[in-house]
Protein backbone atom coordinates (compact mmCIF):
# COMPACT_ATOMS: atom_id res chain seq x y z
CA UNK A 1 0.00 0.00 0.00
CA UNK A 2 1.27 3.53 -0.82
CA UNK A 3 2.16 5.71 2.23
CA UNK A 4 -0.78 7.97 1.25
CA UNK A 5 -3.29 5.13 2.11
CA UNK A 6 -2.97 5.08 5.92
CA UNK A 7 -2.62 8.88 5.97
CA UNK A 8 -5.97 9.21 4.11
CA UNK A 9 -7.68 6.76 6.52
CA UNK A 10 -6.24 8.57 9.54
CA UNK A 11 -7.28 12.02 8.24
CA UNK A 12 -10.79 10.75 7.54
CA UNK A 13 -11.09 9.28 11.00
CA UNK A 14 -9.67 12.26 12.94
CA UNK A 15 -11.47 14.83 10.76
CA UNK A 16 -14.93 13.34 10.11
CA UNK A 17 -15.52 10.99 13.06
CA UNK A 18 -15.81 13.77 15.69
CA UNK A 19 -18.22 15.72 13.43
CA UNK A 20 -20.41 12.67 12.86
CA UNK A 21 -20.36 11.77 16.57
CA UNK A 22 -21.15 15.34 17.66
CA UNK A 23 -23.96 15.72 15.06
CA UNK A 24 -25.41 12.29 16.13
CA UNK A 25 -25.37 13.30 19.82
CA UNK A 26 -27.11 16.68 19.20
CA UNK A 27 -29.59 14.94 16.83
CA UNK A 28 -30.43 12.45 19.60
CA UNK A 29 -30.82 15.14 22.23
CA UNK A 30 -32.42 18.00 20.26
CA UNK A 31 -33.81 16.55 17.10
CA UNK A 32 -32.65 16.50 13.41
CA UNK A 33 -32.55 20.27 12.80
CA UNK A 34 -30.19 20.81 15.71
CA UNK A 35 -28.15 17.78 14.61
CA UNK A 36 -27.70 19.22 11.04
CA UNK A 37 -26.82 22.61 12.48
CA UNK A 38 -24.23 21.06 14.82
CA UNK A 39 -22.76 19.10 11.90
CA UNK A 40 -22.51 22.28 9.77
CA UNK A 41 -20.92 24.20 12.64
CA UNK A 42 -18.40 21.44 13.37
CA UNK A 43 -17.57 21.15 9.66
CA UNK A 44 -16.93 24.92 9.45
CA UNK A 45 -14.70 24.66 12.52
CA UNK A 46 -12.68 21.89 10.83
CA UNK A 47 -12.36 24.01 7.65
CA UNK A 48 -11.10 27.00 9.72
CA UNK A 49 -8.57 24.83 11.60
CA UNK A 50 -7.31 23.22 8.35
CA UNK A 51 -7.07 26.59 6.60
CA UNK A 52 -5.04 27.95 9.51
CA UNK A 53 -2.68 24.99 9.30
CA UNK A 54 -2.39 25.55 5.55
CA UNK A 55 -1.38 29.14 6.28
CA UNK A 56 1.25 27.90 8.76
CA UNK A 57 2.54 25.49 6.08
CA UNK A 58 2.82 28.29 3.52
CA UNK A 59 4.64 30.52 5.99
CA UNK A 60 7.04 27.69 6.86
CA UNK A 61 7.65 26.85 3.20
CA UNK A 62 8.71 30.47 2.63
CA UNK A 63 11.53 30.09 5.17
CA UNK A 64 11.76 26.44 6.21
CA UNK A 65 15.09 26.76 8.03
CA UNK A 66 14.18 29.66 10.29
CA UNK A 67 12.40 27.84 13.14
CA UNK A 68 12.30 24.05 12.94
CA UNK A 69 9.15 22.61 11.45
CA UNK A 70 5.88 23.66 13.15
CA UNK A 71 4.27 21.01 15.31
CA UNK A 72 0.63 21.24 14.24
CA UNK A 73 -0.13 17.63 15.12
CA UNK A 74 -2.69 15.47 13.35
CA UNK A 75 -2.63 14.81 9.62
CA UNK A 76 -0.84 18.10 8.90
CA UNK A 77 1.91 17.11 11.29
CA UNK A 78 2.73 14.16 8.96
CA UNK A 79 2.81 16.49 5.94
CA UNK A 80 5.21 18.80 7.78
CA UNK A 81 7.39 15.90 8.88
CA UNK A 82 7.71 14.51 5.37
CA UNK A 83 8.31 17.89 3.84
CA UNK A 84 11.00 18.60 6.39
CA UNK A 85 12.68 15.22 5.72
CA UNK A 86 12.63 15.91 2.00
CA UNK A 87 14.12 19.37 2.50
CA UNK A 88 16.90 17.95 4.68
CA UNK A 89 17.66 15.31 2.04
CA UNK A 90 17.70 17.97 -0.69
CA UNK A 91 20.03 20.15 1.39
CA UNK A 92 22.44 17.21 1.83
CA UNK A 93 22.33 16.46 -1.91
CA UNK A 94 23.00 20.13 -2.68
CA UNK A 95 25.96 20.17 -0.28
CA UNK A 96 27.42 17.07 -1.96
CA UNK A 97 26.95 18.62 -5.41
CA UNK A 98 28.56 21.87 -4.23
CA UNK A 99 31.52 19.96 -2.74
CA UNK A 100 31.96 18.11 -6.02
CA UNK A 101 31.76 21.39 -7.94
CA UNK A 102 34.35 22.94 -5.61
CA UNK A 103 36.81 20.09 -6.11
CA UNK A 104 36.20 20.24 -9.87
CA UNK A 105 36.96 23.99 -9.78
CA UNK A 106 40.09 23.38 -7.68
CA UNK A 107 41.22 20.76 -10.21
CA UNK A 108 40.58 23.16 -13.10
CA UNK A 109 42.49 25.91 -11.29
CA UNK A 110 45.41 23.54 -10.82
CA UNK A 111 45.60 22.91 -14.59
CA UNK A 112 48.54 24.96 -15.95
CA UNK A 113 46.70 25.62 -19.23
CA UNK A 114 44.16 28.42 -19.44
CA UNK A 115 40.53 27.34 -20.05
CA UNK A 116 37.68 29.71 -20.98
CA UNK A 117 34.11 28.69 -21.85
CA UNK A 118 32.49 31.06 -24.35
CA UNK A 119 28.86 31.19 -25.47
CA UNK A 120 27.69 31.63 -29.06
CA UNK A 121 28.40 35.38 -28.97
CA UNK A 122 31.84 34.82 -27.37
CA UNK A 123 30.76 36.02 -23.95
CA UNK A 124 32.82 34.57 -21.11
CA UNK A 125 30.80 32.01 -19.14
CA UNK A 126 33.57 30.58 -17.00
CA UNK A 127 37.36 30.42 -16.86
CA UNK A 128 40.08 28.88 -14.68
CA UNK A 129 42.88 30.67 -12.83
CA UNK A 130 45.57 30.10 -15.50
CA UNK A 131 43.35 31.92 -18.02
CA UNK A 132 43.44 34.99 -15.80
CA UNK A 133 47.22 35.13 -16.02
CA UNK A 134 47.36 34.20 -19.71
CA UNK A 135 44.60 36.43 -21.06
CA UNK A 136 44.34 39.09 -18.36
CA UNK A 137 40.67 38.39 -17.58
CA UNK A 138 39.08 38.48 -14.13
CA UNK A 139 35.92 36.99 -12.65
CA UNK A 140 33.40 38.18 -11.59
CA UNK A 141 34.35 41.49 -13.25
CA UNK A 142 34.56 39.97 -16.74
CA UNK A 143 31.78 37.39 -16.56
CA UNK A 144 29.58 37.94 -19.56
CA UNK A 145 32.13 40.21 -21.26
CA UNK A 146 32.86 39.57 -24.93
CA UNK A 147 36.37 38.11 -25.08
CA UNK A 148 37.39 40.02 -28.21
CA UNK A 149 36.87 43.24 -26.25
CA UNK A 150 39.33 42.08 -23.59
CA UNK A 151 41.96 40.41 -25.80
CA UNK A 152 42.63 43.03 -28.44
CA UNK A 153 45.61 41.45 -30.20
CA UNK A 154 45.24 41.91 -33.98
CA UNK A 155 44.08 38.72 -35.66
CA UNK A 156 42.61 37.19 -32.49
CA UNK A 157 38.99 38.06 -33.35
CA UNK A 158 39.40 36.56 -36.84
CA UNK A 159 40.95 33.41 -35.41
CA UNK A 160 38.14 33.03 -32.89
CA UNK A 161 35.55 33.58 -35.62
CA UNK A 162 36.89 30.81 -37.83
CA UNK A 163 39.48 28.84 -35.86
CA UNK A 164 41.87 26.63 -37.80
CA UNK A 165 41.85 23.24 -36.02
CA UNK A 166 45.38 22.50 -37.29
CA UNK A 167 47.02 25.74 -36.13
CA UNK A 168 47.09 27.75 -32.96
CA UNK A 169 47.03 31.50 -32.50
CA UNK A 170 50.16 32.91 -30.82
CA UNK A 171 49.49 35.58 -28.24
CA UNK A 172 52.03 37.69 -26.39
CA UNK A 173 51.10 38.34 -22.78
CA UNK A 174 49.77 41.85 -22.24
CA UNK A 175 51.16 41.99 -18.69
CA UNK A 176 54.45 40.12 -19.22
CA UNK A 177 55.74 40.83 -22.71
CA UNK A 178 58.26 38.03 -22.36
CA UNK A 179 55.64 35.27 -22.26
CA UNK A 180 53.98 33.72 -25.29
CA UNK A 181 50.79 31.62 -25.31
CA UNK A 182 49.39 29.34 -28.00
CA UNK A 183 45.58 29.57 -28.17
CA UNK A 184 43.29 26.88 -29.53
CA UNK A 185 39.53 26.74 -29.85
CA UNK A 186 37.59 23.51 -29.28
CA UNK A 187 33.83 23.29 -30.04
CA UNK A 188 31.79 22.61 -26.90
CA UNK A 189 28.31 21.28 -27.68
CA UNK A 190 26.18 23.12 -30.24
CA UNK A 191 26.65 26.71 -29.11
CA UNK A 192 29.68 26.96 -26.84
CA UNK A 193 33.43 27.05 -27.42
CA UNK A 194 36.31 26.12 -25.17
CA UNK A 195 39.31 28.43 -25.55
CA UNK A 196 42.53 26.73 -24.38
CA UNK A 197 45.75 28.71 -23.81
CA UNK A 198 49.12 27.01 -23.46
CA UNK A 199 52.30 28.69 -22.18
CA UNK A 200 54.81 28.00 -24.97
CA UNK A 201 57.46 30.52 -23.86
CA UNK A 202 60.04 27.94 -22.82
CA UNK A 203 59.43 25.68 -25.83
CA UNK A 204 59.87 28.67 -28.15
CA UNK A 205 63.00 29.78 -26.31
CA UNK A 206 64.53 26.30 -26.68
CA UNK A 207 63.53 26.23 -30.34
CA UNK A 208 65.05 29.65 -31.00
CA UNK A 209 68.22 28.66 -29.09
CA UNK A 210 68.42 25.51 -31.20
CA UNK A 211 68.08 27.34 -34.50
CA UNK A 212 70.45 30.09 -33.32
CA UNK A 213 72.96 27.38 -32.40
CA UNK A 214 72.66 25.68 -35.80
CA UNK A 215 73.04 29.07 -37.53
CA UNK A 216 76.13 29.84 -35.42
CA UNK A 217 77.80 26.49 -36.10
CA UNK A 218 77.06 26.78 -39.81
CA UNK A 219 78.50 30.29 -39.85
CA UNK A 220 81.61 29.26 -37.90
CA UNK A 221 82.28 26.38 -40.30
CA UNK A 222 81.38 28.30 -43.42
CA UNK A 223 84.09 30.93 -43.01
CA UNK A 224 87.11 28.57 -42.93
CA UNK A 225 85.50 26.31 -45.55
CA UNK A 226 85.11 29.27 -47.92
CA UNK A 227 88.76 30.19 -47.42
CA UNK A 228 89.94 26.61 -48.01
CA UNK A 229 87.77 26.12 -51.09
CA UNK A 230 89.06 29.46 -52.50
CA UNK A 231 92.67 28.33 -52.05
CA UNK A 232 91.94 24.95 -53.58
CA UNK A 233 90.71 26.65 -56.74
CA UNK A 234 94.07 28.45 -57.00
CA UNK A 235 95.86 25.15 -56.44
CA UNK A 236 94.05 23.58 -59.37
CA UNK A 237 95.41 26.30 -61.59
CA UNK A 238 99.01 25.07 -61.45
CA UNK A 239 100.73 27.57 -63.76
CA UNK A 240 99.77 30.76 -61.88
CA UNK A 241 101.55 30.04 -58.56
CA UNK A 242 105.13 29.96 -57.43
CA UNK A 243 106.37 27.27 -55.03
CA UNK A 244 106.54 29.87 -52.21
CA UNK A 245 102.96 30.94 -52.83
CA UNK A 246 101.87 27.30 -52.77
CA UNK A 247 103.60 26.81 -49.45
CA UNK A 248 102.00 29.97 -48.09
CA UNK A 249 98.50 28.90 -49.19
CA UNK A 250 99.04 25.40 -47.85
CA UNK A 251 99.90 26.88 -44.44
CA UNK A 252 96.82 29.10 -44.48
CA UNK A 253 94.65 26.12 -45.41
CA UNK A 254 96.18 24.10 -42.63
CA UNK A 255 95.34 26.95 -40.16
CA UNK A 256 91.72 26.99 -41.33
CA UNK A 257 91.47 23.22 -41.09
CA UNK A 258 92.88 23.35 -37.56
CA UNK A 259 90.25 25.97 -36.70
CA UNK A 260 87.47 23.72 -37.99
CA UNK A 261 88.92 20.78 -36.09
CA UNK A 262 89.05 22.69 -32.81
CA UNK A 263 85.46 23.88 -33.35
CA UNK A 264 84.28 20.32 -33.98
CA UNK A 265 86.28 19.12 -30.93
CA UNK A 266 84.67 21.79 -28.73
CA UNK A 267 81.21 20.94 -30.07
CA UNK A 268 81.73 17.27 -29.30
CA UNK A 269 83.04 18.11 -25.82
CA UNK A 270 79.99 20.31 -25.16
CA UNK A 271 77.48 17.73 -26.32
CA UNK A 272 79.19 15.07 -24.18
CA UNK A 273 79.13 17.39 -21.16
CA UNK A 274 75.47 18.30 -21.70
CA UNK A 275 74.43 14.66 -21.94
CA UNK A 276 75.27 13.93 -18.26
CA UNK A 277 75.27 15.83 -15.00
CA UNK A 278 78.07 14.08 -13.13
CA UNK A 279 81.83 14.15 -13.78
CA UNK A 280 83.11 11.25 -15.92
CA UNK A 281 85.15 10.03 -12.91
CA UNK A 282 85.80 10.91 -9.28
CA UNK A 283 89.48 10.91 -8.34
CA UNK A 284 91.75 12.92 -6.07
CA UNK A 285 93.38 15.40 -8.40
CA UNK A 286 96.82 16.59 -7.26
CA UNK A 287 96.39 20.33 -7.75
CA UNK A 288 100.11 21.17 -7.50
CA UNK A 289 100.72 18.78 -10.38
CA UNK A 290 97.77 20.14 -12.41
CA UNK A 291 98.87 23.76 -11.86
CA UNK A 292 102.40 22.90 -12.97
CA UNK A 293 100.97 21.41 -16.16
CA UNK A 294 98.77 24.51 -16.72
CA UNK A 295 101.83 26.74 -16.25
CA UNK A 296 103.90 24.86 -18.78
CA UNK A 297 101.04 24.82 -21.35
CA UNK A 298 100.40 28.53 -20.73
CA UNK A 299 104.07 29.35 -21.26
CA UNK A 300 104.16 27.53 -24.54
CA UNK A 301 100.96 29.32 -25.70
CA UNK A 302 102.33 32.70 -24.56
CA UNK A 303 105.70 32.12 -26.26
CA UNK A 304 107.37 34.35 -23.69
CA UNK A 305 105.08 37.35 -24.21
CA UNK A 306 103.59 37.27 -20.67
CA UNK A 307 104.74 36.81 -17.09
CA UNK A 308 103.01 33.71 -15.70
CA UNK A 309 102.94 32.74 -12.02
CA UNK A 310 101.27 29.90 -10.11
CA UNK A 311 100.49 29.48 -6.46
CA UNK A 312 99.10 26.27 -4.96
CA UNK A 313 97.94 26.58 -1.35
CA UNK A 314 95.07 24.11 -1.25
CA UNK A 315 94.50 20.34 -0.93
CA UNK A 316 93.74 17.79 -3.66
CA UNK A 317 90.42 18.27 -5.43
CA UNK A 318 87.96 15.44 -5.98
CA UNK A 319 86.71 15.25 -9.56
CA UNK A 320 87.56 14.22 -13.10
CA UNK A 321 91.15 15.28 -13.89
CA UNK A 322 90.61 15.50 -17.64
CA UNK A 323 87.54 17.71 -17.25
CA UNK A 324 89.14 19.95 -14.62
CA UNK A 325 92.24 20.28 -16.80
CA UNK A 326 90.05 21.28 -19.74
CA UNK A 327 88.10 23.91 -17.70
CA UNK A 328 91.17 25.44 -16.03
CA UNK A 329 93.12 25.26 -19.31
CA UNK A 330 90.37 27.24 -21.06
CA UNK A 331 90.58 29.98 -18.41
CA UNK A 332 94.39 30.14 -18.68
CA UNK A 333 94.29 30.17 -22.47
CA UNK A 334 91.69 32.99 -22.42
CA UNK A 335 93.84 35.02 -20.02
CA UNK A 336 96.80 34.70 -22.40
CA UNK A 337 94.76 35.38 -25.53
CA UNK A 338 93.07 38.48 -24.12
CA UNK A 339 96.17 39.97 -22.48
CA UNK A 340 98.52 42.04 -24.61
CA UNK A 341 102.23 41.18 -24.63
CA UNK A 342 104.02 42.25 -21.46
CA UNK A 343 100.99 41.53 -19.26
CA UNK A 344 100.90 39.30 -16.16
CA UNK A 345 98.81 36.19 -15.45
CA UNK A 346 98.44 34.64 -11.99
CA UNK A 347 97.03 31.12 -11.55
CA UNK A 348 96.05 30.24 -7.99
CA UNK A 349 94.53 27.35 -6.01
CA UNK A 350 93.65 28.24 -2.45
CA UNK A 351 91.05 27.86 0.32
CA UNK A 352 88.38 30.44 1.11
CA UNK A 353 85.91 29.87 3.95
CA UNK A 354 86.63 26.15 3.69
CA UNK A 355 85.84 26.02 -0.05
CA UNK A 356 88.36 25.46 -2.84
CA UNK A 357 89.09 28.49 -5.05
CA UNK A 358 90.75 28.19 -8.44
CA UNK A 359 91.42 31.58 -10.00
CA UNK A 360 93.10 33.02 -13.04
CA UNK A 361 93.88 36.74 -12.90
CA UNK A 362 95.13 38.67 -15.90
CA UNK A 363 96.10 42.26 -16.65
CA UNK A 364 94.46 42.10 -20.07
CA UNK A 365 91.84 43.99 -22.05
CA UNK A 366 89.07 43.44 -19.49
CA UNK A 367 85.33 43.05 -20.15
CA UNK A 368 82.58 45.70 -19.86
CA UNK A 369 79.99 44.89 -17.15
CA UNK A 370 77.07 44.41 -19.56
CA UNK A 371 78.80 41.42 -21.19
CA UNK A 372 79.56 39.52 -17.98
CA UNK A 373 76.17 37.72 -17.54
CA UNK A 374 76.30 36.39 -21.12
CA UNK A 375 79.94 35.29 -21.37
CA UNK A 376 79.20 31.60 -20.78
CA UNK A 377 76.60 31.44 -23.57
CA UNK A 378 77.68 29.41 -26.56
CA UNK A 379 79.33 31.59 -29.25
CA UNK A 380 78.98 34.77 -27.20
CA UNK A 381 82.02 36.96 -27.81
CA UNK A 382 82.81 40.51 -26.77
CA UNK A 383 85.23 41.08 -29.61
CA UNK A 384 84.52 38.64 -32.43
CA UNK A 385 87.63 39.60 -34.42
CA UNK A 386 90.03 39.19 -31.49
CA UNK A 387 88.48 35.85 -30.55
CA UNK A 388 88.90 34.47 -34.09
CA UNK A 389 92.38 35.90 -34.58
CA UNK A 390 93.55 34.13 -31.44
CA UNK A 391 91.95 30.82 -32.46
CA UNK A 392 88.86 31.08 -30.24
CA UNK A 393 85.79 29.00 -31.00
CA UNK A 394 83.41 30.98 -28.76
CA UNK A 395 82.69 27.78 -26.83
CA UNK A 396 85.45 27.87 -24.20
CA UNK A 397 83.50 29.45 -21.33
CA UNK A 398 80.38 27.36 -22.15
CA UNK A 399 82.57 24.27 -21.67
CA UNK A 400 83.98 25.74 -18.43
CA UNK A 401 80.44 26.40 -17.14
CA UNK A 402 79.30 22.82 -17.81
CA UNK A 403 82.38 21.23 -16.24
CA UNK A 404 82.02 23.40 -13.13
CA UNK A 405 78.29 22.57 -12.90
CA UNK A 406 79.13 18.85 -12.97
CA UNK A 407 81.51 19.49 -10.05
CA UNK A 408 78.94 21.62 -8.14
CA UNK A 409 81.27 24.60 -8.53
CA UNK A 410 80.32 28.18 -9.41
CA UNK A 411 82.05 30.67 -11.67
CA UNK A 412 82.50 34.31 -10.66
CA UNK A 413 83.95 36.90 -13.04
CA UNK A 414 85.34 40.28 -12.05
CA UNK A 415 86.64 42.61 -14.69
CA UNK A 416 87.54 46.22 -15.47
CA UNK A 417 87.94 47.37 -19.05
CA UNK A 418 91.62 48.09 -19.73
CA UNK A 419 92.73 46.72 -16.36
CA UNK A 420 92.17 42.98 -16.53
CA UNK A 421 89.91 40.17 -15.40
CA UNK A 422 89.72 37.52 -12.70
CA UNK A 423 87.85 34.26 -13.28
CA UNK A 424 87.18 32.35 -10.03
CA UNK A 425 85.85 28.80 -9.77
CA UNK A 426 84.63 27.95 -6.26
CA UNK A 427 84.36 24.26 -5.28
CA UNK A 428 82.34 23.04 -2.28
CA UNK A 429 84.30 21.89 0.78
CA UNK A 430 83.17 18.27 0.39
CA UNK A 431 85.10 18.07 -2.91
CA UNK A 432 88.39 18.79 -1.12
CA UNK A 433 90.58 16.01 0.19
CA UNK A 434 90.99 16.51 3.92
CA UNK A 435 94.64 16.57 4.90
CA UNK A 436 95.32 14.24 7.85
P1 LIG B 1 86.48 32.49 -27.19
O1 LIG B 1 86.82 31.25 -27.90
O2 LIG B 1 85.90 33.54 -28.09
O3 LIG B 1 87.56 33.00 -26.33
P2 LIG B 1 85.11 31.92 -24.74
O4 LIG B 1 83.81 31.26 -24.50
O5 LIG B 1 86.31 31.31 -24.13
O6 LIG B 1 85.23 32.08 -26.29
O7 LIG B 1 85.00 33.41 -24.20
C1 LIG B 1 83.89 34.18 -24.58
C2 LIG B 1 84.27 35.64 -24.67
O8 LIG B 1 84.59 36.13 -23.38
C3 LIG B 1 85.51 35.87 -25.50
O9 LIG B 1 85.18 36.01 -26.86
C4 LIG B 1 86.04 37.16 -24.92
O10 LIG B 1 85.41 38.26 -25.52
C5 LIG B 1 85.60 37.10 -23.46
N1 LIG B 1 86.71 36.69 -22.56
C6 LIG B 1 86.92 35.46 -22.06
N2 LIG B 1 87.99 35.46 -21.23
C7 LIG B 1 88.47 36.71 -21.21
C8 LIG B 1 89.55 37.37 -20.56
N3 LIG B 1 90.37 36.71 -19.73
N4 LIG B 1 89.72 38.68 -20.79
C9 LIG B 1 88.89 39.36 -21.60
N5 LIG B 1 87.86 38.81 -22.26
C10 LIG B 1 87.64 37.51 -22.07
Amino acid sequence: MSPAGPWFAKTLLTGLLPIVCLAGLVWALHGPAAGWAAAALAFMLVVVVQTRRLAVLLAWLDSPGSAGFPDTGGAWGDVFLRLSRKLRHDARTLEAVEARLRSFRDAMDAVPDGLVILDASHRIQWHNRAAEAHLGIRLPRDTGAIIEQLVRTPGFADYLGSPDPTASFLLQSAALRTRVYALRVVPLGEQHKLLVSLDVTDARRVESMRSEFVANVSHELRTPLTVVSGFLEHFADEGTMSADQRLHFARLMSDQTARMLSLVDDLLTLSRLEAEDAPASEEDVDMADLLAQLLSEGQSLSEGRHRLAVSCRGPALRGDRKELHSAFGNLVSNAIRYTPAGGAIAIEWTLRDGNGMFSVRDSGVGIAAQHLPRLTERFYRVDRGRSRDTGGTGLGLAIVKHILLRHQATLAIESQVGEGSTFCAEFPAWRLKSEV
Side-chain angles (χ1 to χ4, degrees), residues 51-72:
T51 310
R52 214 197 127 260
R53 284 177 178 170
L54 202 59
V56 174
L57 172 65
L58 285 175
W60 181 73
L61 280 178
D62 277 347
S63 55
S66 55
F69 79 94
D71 185 13
T72 53

Side-chain angles (χ1 to χ4, degrees), residues 422-436:
T422 306
F423 286 73
C424 276
E426 183 167 358
F427 292 83
W430 62 266
R431 282 218 163 263
L432 307 178
K433 192 177 179 206
S434 52
E435 283 154 345
V436 273

Side-chain angles (χ1 to χ4, degrees), residues 334 337-338 362 367 375 380-382 387 392-394 396-397 423:
N334 279 353
R337 286 168 43 235
Y338 296 105
D362 66 56
I367 307 155
L375 282 192
Y380 189 85
R381 289 147 159 148
V382 178
S387 160
T393 60
L397 288 181
F423 286 73

Side-chain angles (χ1 to χ4, degrees), residues 98-428:
E98 275 175 357
R100 243 178 266 161
L101 197 66
R102 262 198 308 278
S103 59
F104 170 77
R105 278 210 187 114
D106 288 348
M108 289 298 107
D109 279 342
V111 173
D113 304 335
L115 303 168
V116 185
I117 294 177
L118 302 170
D119 69 7
S121 33
H122 297 169
R123 287 181 191 281
I124 299 171
Q125 302 295 297
W126 173 89
H127 71 73
N128 70 347
R129 195 167 297 153
E132 292 192 0
H134 293 186
L135 307 172
I137 49 181
R138 285 265 174 285
L139 276 185
R141 187 193 68 190
D142 295 331
T143 312
I146 295 173
I147 191 141
E148 290 96 324
Q149 291 176 354
L150 300 173
V151 180
R152 292 183 166 273
T153 307
F156 174 68
D158 293 341
Y159 175 77
L160 205 60
S162 51
D164 177 355
T166 60
S168 39
F169 180 82
L170 287 181
L171 177 86
Q172 202 168 37
S173 157
L176 295 164
R177 291 244 151 248
T178 47
R179 303 220 71 84
V180 181
Y181 305 103
L183 307 187
R184 269 186 188 268
V185 175
V186 185
L188 204 65
E190 293 281 294
Q191 300 285 323
H192 290 72
K193 284 175 178 163
L194 178 67
L195 178 67
V196 184
S197 63
L198 221 90
D199 190 338
V200 291
T201 315
D202 292 340
R204 280 173 61 83
R205 199 174 290 148
V206 168
E207 177 51 29
S208 92
M209 274 167 67
R210 194 195 60 82
S211 57
E212 196 182 314
F213 179 68
V214 171
N216 271 323
V217 173
S218 314
H219 180 75
E220 294 291 330
L221 285 173
R222 199 170 200 288
T223 315
L225 274 173
T226 313
V227 175
V228 171
S229 85
F231 289 151
L232 282 174
E233 267 173 34
H234 283 300
F235 263 78
D237 200 355
E238 270 196 41
T240 58
M241 248 192 280
S242 68
D244 282 351
Q245 274 177 319
R246 276 175 175 274
L247 193 65
H248 175 65
F249 281 148
R251 281 209 186 106
L252 289 175
M253 281 197 288
S254 153
D255 286 350
Q256 296 301 327
T257 320
R259 193 172 141 187
M260 286 189 277
L261 270 177
S262 67
L263 177 66
V264 171
D265 280 348
D266 278 359
L267 284 170
L268 288 173
T269 305
L270 250 187
S271 79
R272 188 175 49 78
L273 290 171
E274 281 173 346
E276 272 194 45
D277 289 341
S281 72
E282 295 282 3
E283 53 194 300
D284 289 332
V285 179
D286 181 338
M287 288 300 281
D289 185 54
L290 182 55
L291 258 62
Q293 190 180 355
L294 290 171
L295 176 68
S296 118
E297 287 165 355
Q299 278 164 338
S300 93
L301 183 65
S302 160
E303 292 174 328
R305 285 171 296 130
H306 308 90
R307 279 169 287 120
L308 272 82
V310 291
S311 153
C312 183
R313 284 180 286 119
L317 173 64
R318 201 156 177 73
D320 184 82
R321 191 183 199 281
K322 233 171 119 189
E323 288 182 18
L324 292 171
H325 177 212
S326 160
F328 299 160
N330 262 306
L331 295 179
V332 174
S333 133
N334 279 353
I336 292 167
R337 286 168 43 235
Y338 296 105
T339 300
I345 287 138
I347 307 164
E348 193 176 60
W349 171 242
T350 184
L351 286 174
R352 194 174 73 184
D353 299 332
N355 291 342
M357 291 288 282
F358 174 84
S359 64
V360 179
R361 195 173 68 248
D362 66 56
S363 59
V365 292
I367 307 155
Q370 77 266 22
H371 297 294
L372 295 181
R374 299 195 58 191
L375 282 192
T376 55
E377 284 176 21
R378 294 178 291 192
F379 297 114
Y380 189 85
R381 289 147 159 148
V382 178
D383 180 346
R384 198 162 278 272
R386 187 175 187 118
S387 160
R388 290 232 176 86
D389 293 348
T390 55
T393 60
L395 297 173
L397 288 181
I399 292 175
V400 170
K401 181 182 88 175
H402 278 285
I403 293 176
L404 294 187
L405 268 177
R406 284 150 73 95
H407 288 80
Q408 296 75 40
T410 52
L411 181 69
I413 310 168
E414 280 173 27
S415 192
Q416 289 281 326
V417 175
E419 297 203 355
S421 316
T422 306
F423 286 73
C424 276
E426 183 167 358
F427 292 83

